[in-house]
PDB file of all heavy atoms in Angstrom:
ATOM      1  N   TYR H   1       0.836  -1.205   0.000  1.00 98.00           N
ATOM      2  CA  TYR H   1       0.000   0.000   0.000  1.00 98.00           C
ATOM      3  C   TYR H   1       0.871   1.256   0.000  1.00 98.00           C
ATOM      4  O   TYR H   1       0.639   2.196  -0.760  1.00 98.00           O
ATOM      5  CB  TYR H   1      -0.924  -0.027   1.219  1.00 98.00           C
ATOM      6  CG  TYR H   1      -1.498   1.315   1.608  1.00 98.00           C
ATOM      7  CD1 TYR H   1      -2.595   1.854   0.943  1.00 98.00           C
ATOM      8  CD2 TYR H   1      -0.922   2.062   2.639  1.00 98.00           C
ATOM      9  CE1 TYR H   1      -3.114   3.095   1.303  1.00 98.00           C
ATOM     10  CE2 TYR H   1      -1.434   3.291   3.005  1.00 98.00           C
ATOM     11  CZ  TYR H   1      -2.519   3.809   2.332  1.00 98.00           C
ATOM     12  OH  TYR H   1      -3.021   5.039   2.676  1.00 98.00           O
ATOM     13  N   ILE H   2       1.907   1.251   0.858  1.00 98.00           N
ATOM     14  CA  ILE H   2       2.829   2.394   0.900  1.00 98.00           C
ATOM     15  C   ILE H   2       3.488   2.582  -0.464  1.00 98.00           C
ATOM     16  O   ILE H   2       3.577   3.702  -0.983  1.00 98.00           O
ATOM     17  CB  ILE H   2       3.919   2.185   1.984  1.00 98.00           C
ATOM     18  CG1 ILE H   2       3.297   2.045   3.368  1.00 98.00           C
ATOM     19  CG2 ILE H   2       4.949   3.318   1.936  1.00 98.00           C
ATOM     20  CD1 ILE H   2       2.692   3.286   3.935  1.00 98.00           C
ATOM     21  N   ASP H   3       3.925   1.497  -1.055  1.00 98.00           N
ATOM     22  CA  ASP H   3       4.622   1.586  -2.346  1.00 98.00           C
ATOM     23  C   ASP H   3       3.679   2.070  -3.453  1.00 98.00           C
ATOM     24  O   ASP H   3       4.070   2.893  -4.296  1.00 98.00           O
ATOM     25  CB  ASP H   3       5.203   0.220  -2.717  1.00 98.00           C
ATOM     26  CG  ASP H   3       6.047   0.277  -3.975  1.00 98.00           C
ATOM     27  OD1 ASP H   3       7.054   1.021  -3.976  1.00 98.00           O
ATOM     28  OD2 ASP H   3       5.694  -0.393  -4.963  1.00 98.00           O
ATOM     29  N   LYS H   4       2.447   1.604  -3.440  1.00 98.00           N
ATOM     30  CA  LYS H   4       1.507   1.988  -4.499  1.00 98.00           C
ATOM     31  C   LYS H   4       1.152   3.472  -4.442  1.00 98.00           C
ATOM     32  O   LYS H   4       1.035   4.138  -5.474  1.00 98.00           O
ATOM     33  CB  LYS H   4       0.224   1.154  -4.395  1.00 98.00           C
ATOM     34  CG  LYS H   4      -0.828   1.531  -5.458  1.00 98.00           C
ATOM     35  CD  LYS H   4      -2.021   0.616  -5.404  1.00 98.00           C
ATOM     36  CE  LYS H   4      -3.097   1.065  -6.398  1.00 98.00           C
ATOM     37  NZ  LYS H   4      -2.626   1.069  -7.797  1.00 98.00           N
ATOM     38  N   PHE H   5       0.972   3.996  -3.245  1.00 98.00           N
ATOM     39  CA  PHE H   5       0.479   5.369  -3.116  1.00 98.00           C
ATOM     40  C   PHE H   5       1.551   6.373  -2.693  1.00 98.00           C
ATOM     41  O   PHE H   5       1.222   7.515  -2.346  1.00 98.00           O
ATOM     42  CB  PHE H   5      -0.696   5.408  -2.131  1.00 98.00           C
ATOM     43  CG  PHE H   5      -1.922   4.698  -2.630  1.00 98.00           C
ATOM     44  CD1 PHE H   5      -2.290   3.460  -2.118  1.00 98.00           C
ATOM     45  CD2 PHE H   5      -2.700   5.246  -3.637  1.00 98.00           C
ATOM     46  CE1 PHE H   5      -3.418   2.801  -2.580  1.00 98.00           C
ATOM     47  CE2 PHE H   5      -3.832   4.600  -4.103  1.00 98.00           C
ATOM     48  CZ  PHE H   5      -4.194   3.363  -3.582  1.00 98.00           C
ATOM     49  N   LYS H   6       2.830   5.980  -2.731  1.00 98.00           N
ATOM     50  CA  LYS H   6       3.894   6.905  -2.333  1.00 98.00           C
ATOM     51  C   LYS H   6       3.885   8.152  -3.217  1.00 98.00           C
ATOM     52  O   LYS H   6       3.541   8.084  -4.405  1.00 98.00           O
ATOM     53  CB  LYS H   6       5.256   6.215  -2.392  1.00 98.00           C
ATOM     54  CG  LYS H   6       5.662   5.718  -3.770  1.00 98.00           C
ATOM     55  CD  LYS H   6       6.931   4.891  -3.680  1.00 98.00           C
ATOM     56  CE  LYS H   6       7.300   4.330  -5.053  1.00 98.00           C
ATOM     57  NZ  LYS H   6       8.439   3.406  -4.982  1.00 98.00           N
ATOM     58  N   TYR H   7       4.201   9.272  -2.599  1.00 98.00           N
ATOM     59  CA  TYR H   7       4.229  10.605  -3.224  1.00 98.00           C
ATOM     60  C   TYR H   7       2.833  11.136  -3.549  1.00 98.00           C
ATOM     61  O   TYR H   7       2.705  12.181  -4.179  1.00 98.00           O
ATOM     62  CB  TYR H   7       5.095  10.643  -4.490  1.00 98.00           C
ATOM     63  CG  TYR H   7       6.472  10.050  -4.306  1.00 98.00           C
ATOM     64  CD1 TYR H   7       6.858   8.901  -4.993  1.00 98.00           C
ATOM     65  CD2 TYR H   7       7.387  10.633  -3.432  1.00 98.00           C
ATOM     66  CE1 TYR H   7       8.126   8.349  -4.811  1.00 98.00           C
ATOM     67  CE2 TYR H   7       8.648  10.085  -3.249  1.00 98.00           C
ATOM     68  CZ  TYR H   7       9.009   8.950  -3.947  1.00 98.00           C
ATOM     69  OH  TYR H   7      10.257   8.409  -3.759  1.00 98.00           O
ATOM     70  N   LYS H   8       1.777  10.430  -3.114  1.00 98.00           N
ATOM     71  CA  LYS H   8       0.415  10.833  -3.466  1.00 98.00           C
ATOM     72  C   LYS H   8      -0.382  11.244  -2.225  1.00 98.00           C
ATOM     73  O   LYS H   8      -0.018  10.931  -1.095  1.00 98.00           O
ATOM     74  CB  LYS H   8      -0.314   9.695  -4.188  1.00 98.00           C
ATOM     75  CG  LYS H   8       0.305   9.327  -5.531  1.00 98.00           C
ATOM     76  CD  LYS H   8      -0.408   8.138  -6.157  1.00 98.00           C
ATOM     77  CE  LYS H   8       0.264   7.750  -7.480  1.00 98.00           C
ATOM     78  NZ  LYS H   8      -0.344   6.526  -8.053  1.00 98.00           N
ATOM     79  N   SER H   9      -1.487  11.918  -2.488  1.00 98.00           N
ATOM     80  CA  SER H   9      -2.466  12.237  -1.445  1.00 98.00           C
ATOM     81  C   SER H   9      -3.713  11.411  -1.719  1.00 98.00           C
ATOM     82  O   SER H   9      -4.199  11.386  -2.857  1.00 98.00           O
ATOM     83  CB  SER H   9      -2.806  13.725  -1.468  1.00 98.00           C
ATOM     84  OG  SER H   9      -1.653  14.504  -1.243  1.00 98.00           O
ATOM     85  N   VAL H  10      -4.213  10.734  -0.694  1.00 98.00           N
ATOM     86  CA  VAL H  10      -5.280   9.754  -0.903  1.00 98.00           C
ATOM     87  C   VAL H  10      -6.412   9.963   0.095  1.00 98.00           C
ATOM     88  O   VAL H  10      -6.257  10.610   1.126  1.00 98.00           O
ATOM     89  CB  VAL H  10      -4.737   8.313  -0.771  1.00 98.00           C
ATOM     90  CG1 VAL H  10      -3.707   8.020  -1.846  1.00 98.00           C
ATOM     91  CG2 VAL H  10      -4.138   8.084   0.624  1.00 98.00           C
ATOM     92  N   GLY H  11      -7.560   9.389  -0.238  1.00 98.00           N
ATOM     93  CA  GLY H  11      -8.707   9.378   0.651  1.00 98.00           C
ATOM     94  C   GLY H  11      -9.000   7.962   1.116  1.00 98.00           C
ATOM     95  O   GLY H  11      -8.410   6.990   0.634  1.00 98.00           O
ATOM     96  N   THR H  12      -9.929   7.842   2.029  1.00 98.00           N
ATOM     97  CA  THR H  12     -10.284   6.546   2.602  1.00 98.00           C
ATOM     98  C   THR H  12     -10.726   5.561   1.526  1.00 98.00           C
ATOM     99  O   THR H  12     -10.420   4.363   1.595  1.00 98.00           O
ATOM    100  CB  THR H  12     -11.379   6.729   3.663  1.00 98.00           C
ATOM    101  OG1 THR H  12     -10.886   7.614   4.679  1.00 98.00           O
ATOM    102  CG2 THR H  12     -11.778   5.418   4.287  1.00 98.00           C
ATOM    103  N   GLU H  13     -11.441   6.047   0.524  1.00 98.00           N
ATOM    104  CA  GLU H  13     -11.912   5.157  -0.547  1.00 98.00           C
ATOM    105  C   GLU H  13     -10.757   4.522  -1.318  1.00 98.00           C
ATOM    106  O   GLU H  13     -10.874   3.398  -1.804  1.00 98.00           O
ATOM    107  CB  GLU H  13     -12.834   5.926  -1.505  1.00 98.00           C
ATOM    108  CG  GLU H  13     -14.217   6.207  -0.937  1.00 98.00           C
ATOM    109  CD  GLU H  13     -14.979   4.943  -0.553  1.00 98.00           C
ATOM    110  OE1 GLU H  13     -14.972   3.975  -1.342  1.00 98.00           O
ATOM    111  OE2 GLU H  13     -15.545   4.904   0.557  1.00 98.00           O
ATOM    112  N   ASP H  14      -9.636   5.242  -1.432  1.00 98.00           N
ATOM    113  CA  ASP H  14      -8.463   4.676  -2.117  1.00 98.00           C
ATOM    114  C   ASP H  14      -7.935   3.476  -1.346  1.00 98.00           C
ATOM    115  O   ASP H  14      -7.608   2.439  -1.930  1.00 98.00           O
ATOM    116  CB  ASP H  14      -7.363   5.733  -2.256  1.00 98.00           C
ATOM    117  CG  ASP H  14      -7.788   6.904  -3.123  1.00 98.00           C
ATOM    118  OD1 ASP H  14      -8.143   6.685  -4.293  1.00 98.00           O
ATOM    119  OD2 ASP H  14      -7.767   8.043  -2.623  1.00 98.00           O
ATOM    120  N   PHE H  15      -7.846   3.620  -0.030  1.00 98.00           N
ATOM    121  CA  PHE H  15      -7.384   2.511   0.807  1.00 98.00           C
ATOM    122  C   PHE H  15      -8.361   1.341   0.731  1.00 98.00           C
ATOM    123  O   PHE H  15      -7.967   0.188   0.538  1.00 98.00           O
ATOM    124  CB  PHE H  15      -7.237   2.975   2.250  1.00 98.00           C
ATOM    125  CG  PHE H  15      -7.009   1.854   3.227  1.00 98.00           C
ATOM    126  CD1 PHE H  15      -5.807   1.162   3.249  1.00 98.00           C
ATOM    127  CD2 PHE H  15      -8.005   1.472   4.122  1.00 98.00           C
ATOM    128  CE1 PHE H  15      -5.594   0.124   4.150  1.00 98.00           C
ATOM    129  CE2 PHE H  15      -7.804   0.442   5.024  1.00 98.00           C
ATOM    130  CZ  PHE H  15      -6.590  -0.238   5.040  1.00 98.00           C
ATOM    131  N   LYS H  16      -9.639   1.643   0.856  1.00 98.00           N
ATOM    132  CA  LYS H  16     -10.659   0.589   0.824  1.00 98.00           C
ATOM    133  C   LYS H  16     -10.617  -0.175  -0.503  1.00 98.00           C
ATOM    134  O   LYS H  16     -10.605  -1.413  -0.518  1.00 98.00           O
ATOM    135  CB  LYS H  16     -12.046   1.207   1.040  1.00 98.00           C
ATOM    136  CG  LYS H  16     -13.191   0.212   0.942  1.00 98.00           C
ATOM    137  CD  LYS H  16     -14.542   0.910   1.107  1.00 98.00           C
ATOM    138  CE  LYS H  16     -15.700  -0.054   0.876  1.00 98.00           C
ATOM    139  NZ  LYS H  16     -17.013   0.615   0.997  1.00 98.00           N
ATOM    140  N   SER H  17     -10.579   0.548  -1.604  1.00 98.00           N
ATOM    141  CA  SER H  17     -10.580  -0.089  -2.936  1.00 98.00           C
ATOM    142  C   SER H  17      -9.349  -0.968  -3.116  1.00 98.00           C
ATOM    143  O   SER H  17      -9.435  -2.078  -3.653  1.00 98.00           O
ATOM    144  CB  SER H  17     -10.627   0.970  -4.032  1.00 98.00           C
ATOM    145  OG  SER H  17     -11.819   1.705  -3.962  1.00 98.00           O
ATOM    146  N   TYR H  18      -8.193  -0.458  -2.662  1.00 98.00           N
ATOM    147  CA  TYR H  18      -6.966  -1.233  -2.841  1.00 98.00           C
ATOM    148  C   TYR H  18      -6.987  -2.491  -1.985  1.00 98.00           C
ATOM    149  O   TYR H  18      -6.602  -3.579  -2.454  1.00 98.00           O
ATOM    150  CB  TYR H  18      -5.743  -0.375  -2.516  1.00 98.00           C
ATOM    151  CG  TYR H  18      -4.439  -1.099  -2.750  1.00 98.00           C
ATOM    152  CD1 TYR H  18      -4.116  -1.593  -4.019  1.00 98.00           C
ATOM    153  CD2 TYR H  18      -3.545  -1.324  -1.709  1.00 98.00           C
ATOM    154  CE1 TYR H  18      -2.932  -2.278  -4.243  1.00 98.00           C
ATOM    155  CE2 TYR H  18      -2.349  -2.010  -1.926  1.00 98.00           C
ATOM    156  CZ  TYR H  18      -2.055  -2.486  -3.190  1.00 98.00           C
ATOM    157  OH  TYR H  18      -0.880  -3.173  -3.413  1.00 98.00           O
ATOM    158  N   LEU H  19      -7.469  -2.377  -0.746  1.00 98.00           N
ATOM    159  CA  LEU H  19      -7.531  -3.562   0.115  1.00 98.00           C
ATOM    160  C   LEU H  19      -8.488  -4.608  -0.463  1.00 98.00           C
ATOM    161  O   LEU H  19      -8.162  -5.800  -0.507  1.00 98.00           O
ATOM    162  CB  LEU H  19      -7.956  -3.161   1.524  1.00 98.00           C
ATOM    163  CG  LEU H  19      -7.998  -4.317   2.537  1.00 98.00           C
ATOM    164  CD1 LEU H  19      -7.453  -3.874   3.889  1.00 98.00           C
ATOM    165  CD2 LEU H  19      -9.416  -4.863   2.741  1.00 98.00           C
ATOM    166  N   LEU H  20      -9.654  -4.167  -0.920  1.00 98.00           N
ATOM    167  CA  LEU H  20     -10.628  -5.120  -1.468  1.00 98.00           C
ATOM    168  C   LEU H  20     -10.093  -5.795  -2.725  1.00 98.00           C
ATOM    169  O   LEU H  20     -10.345  -6.988  -2.962  1.00 98.00           O
ATOM    170  CB  LEU H  20     -11.951  -4.409  -1.755  1.00 98.00           C
ATOM    171  CG  LEU H  20     -12.725  -3.937  -0.517  1.00 98.00           C
ATOM    172  CD1 LEU H  20     -13.970  -3.162  -0.922  1.00 98.00           C
ATOM    173  CD2 LEU H  20     -13.108  -5.119   0.379  1.00 98.00           C
ATOM    174  N   SER H  21      -9.340  -5.044  -3.524  1.00 98.00           N
ATOM    175  CA  SER H  21      -8.749  -5.630  -4.729  1.00 98.00           C
ATOM    176  C   SER H  21      -7.643  -6.615  -4.365  1.00 98.00           C
ATOM    177  O   SER H  21      -7.558  -7.712  -4.920  1.00 98.00           O
ATOM    178  CB  SER H  21      -8.192  -4.513  -5.620  1.00 98.00           C
ATOM    179  OG  SER H  21      -7.457  -5.051  -6.690  1.00 98.00           O
ATOM    180  N   TYR H  22      -6.805  -6.231  -3.412  1.00 98.00           N
ATOM    181  CA  TYR H  22      -5.658  -7.054  -3.023  1.00 98.00           C
ATOM    182  C   TYR H  22      -6.122  -8.386  -2.422  1.00 98.00           C
ATOM    183  O   TYR H  22      -5.542  -9.439  -2.688  1.00 98.00           O
ATOM    184  CB  TYR H  22      -4.809  -6.274  -2.020  1.00 98.00           C
ATOM    185  CG  TYR H  22      -3.502  -6.912  -1.655  1.00 98.00           C
ATOM    186  CD1 TYR H  22      -2.326  -6.563  -2.318  1.00 98.00           C
ATOM    187  CD2 TYR H  22      -3.406  -7.855  -0.617  1.00 98.00           C
ATOM    188  CE1 TYR H  22      -1.099  -7.134  -1.974  1.00 98.00           C
ATOM    189  CE2 TYR H  22      -2.199  -8.434  -0.265  1.00 98.00           C
ATOM    190  CZ  TYR H  22      -1.047  -8.068  -0.949  1.00 98.00           C
ATOM    191  OH  TYR H  22       0.164  -8.637  -0.606  1.00 98.00           O
ATOM    192  N   PHE H  23      -7.182  -8.327  -1.596  1.00 98.00           N
ATOM    193  CA  PHE H  23      -7.664  -9.526  -0.905  1.00 98.00           C
ATOM    194  C   PHE H  23      -8.929 -10.092  -1.551  1.00 98.00           C
ATOM    195  O   PHE H  23      -9.723 -10.757  -0.874  1.00 98.00           O
ATOM    196  CB  PHE H  23      -7.938  -9.199   0.569  1.00 98.00           C
ATOM    197  CG  PHE H  23      -6.701  -8.979   1.397  1.00 98.00           C
ATOM    198  CD1 PHE H  23      -6.294  -7.694   1.741  1.00 98.00           C
ATOM    199  CD2 PHE H  23      -5.935 -10.050   1.832  1.00 98.00           C
ATOM    200  CE1 PHE H  23      -5.164  -7.480   2.520  1.00 98.00           C
ATOM    201  CE2 PHE H  23      -4.799  -9.857   2.611  1.00 98.00           C
ATOM    202  CZ  PHE H  23      -4.409  -8.564   2.949  1.00 98.00           C
ATOM    203  N   GLN H  24      -9.125  -9.848  -2.829  1.00 98.00           N
ATOM    204  CA  GLN H  24     -10.389 -10.240  -3.463  1.00 98.00           C
ATOM    205  C   GLN H  24     -10.652 -11.741  -3.415  1.00 98.00           C
ATOM    206  O   GLN H  24     -11.809 -12.174  -3.454  1.00 98.00           O
ATOM    207  CB  GLN H  24     -10.417  -9.746  -4.912  1.00 98.00           C
ATOM    208  CG  GLN H  24      -9.308 -10.283  -5.804  1.00 98.00           C
ATOM    209  CD  GLN H  24      -9.352  -9.642  -7.179  1.00 98.00           C
ATOM    210  OE1 GLN H  24     -10.412  -9.619  -7.809  1.00 98.00           O
ATOM    211  NE2 GLN H  24      -8.232  -9.118  -7.640  1.00 98.00           N
ATOM    212  N   GLU H  25      -9.602 -12.544  -3.287  1.00 98.00           N
ATOM    213  CA  GLU H  25      -9.782 -13.999  -3.217  1.00 98.00           C
ATOM    214  C   GLU H  25     -10.023 -14.487  -1.788  1.00 98.00           C
ATOM    215  O   GLU H  25     -10.236 -15.675  -1.565  1.00 98.00           O
ATOM    216  CB  GLU H  25      -8.540 -14.708  -3.790  1.00 98.00           C
ATOM    217  CG  GLU H  25      -8.198 -14.338  -5.228  1.00 98.00           C
ATOM    218  CD  GLU H  25      -9.302 -14.694  -6.210  1.00 98.00           C
ATOM    219  OE1 GLU H  25      -9.968 -15.737  -6.003  1.00 98.00           O
ATOM    220  OE2 GLU H  25      -9.511 -13.930  -7.168  1.00 98.00           O
ATOM    221  N   ASP H  26      -9.955 -13.571  -0.834  1.00 98.00           N
ATOM    222  CA  ASP H  26     -10.077 -13.951   0.580  1.00 98.00           C
ATOM    223  C   ASP H  26     -11.505 -13.672   1.040  1.00 98.00           C
ATOM    224  O   ASP H  26     -11.946 -12.517   1.073  1.00 98.00           O
ATOM    225  CB  ASP H  26      -9.072 -13.132   1.410  1.00 98.00           C
ATOM    226  CG  ASP H  26      -8.929 -13.643   2.834  1.00 98.00           C
ATOM    227  OD1 ASP H  26      -9.919 -14.177   3.375  1.00 98.00           O
ATOM    228  OD2 ASP H  26      -7.842 -13.491   3.418  1.00 98.00           O
ATOM    229  N   SER H  27     -12.215 -14.704   1.423  1.00 98.00           N
ATOM    230  CA  SER H  27     -13.620 -14.548   1.817  1.00 98.00           C
ATOM    231  C   SER H  27     -13.788 -13.717   3.096  1.00 98.00           C
ATOM    232  O   SER H  27     -14.874 -13.206   3.372  1.00 98.00           O
ATOM    233  CB  SER H  27     -14.267 -15.926   2.027  1.00 98.00           C
ATOM    234  OG  SER H  27     -13.593 -16.641   3.063  1.00 98.00           O
TER     235      SER H  27
END
C-alpha cells in the first residue's frame, strides 16, 4: 500500500478499494 500510493495524497476510498482488490480472493 505504501509503495503503491507513495508521493500521493489519498482518501479513505483509495485505501478501501486497494484492500478489497488485493484480498479479493479472501472470503
Side-chain angles (χ1 to χ4, degrees):
Y1 161 80
I2 300 290
D3 185 60
K4 178 175 176 60
F5 293 106
K6 61 188 177 186
Y7 310 115
K8 296 176 182 175
S9 300
V10 297
T12 301
E13 286 301 315
D14 297 302
F15 170 71
K16 176 182 174 182
S17 297
Y18 183 59
L19 182 140
L20 292 176
S21 172
Y22 187 95
F23 288 103
Q24 60 185 309
E25 302 299 325
D26 191 329
S27 61

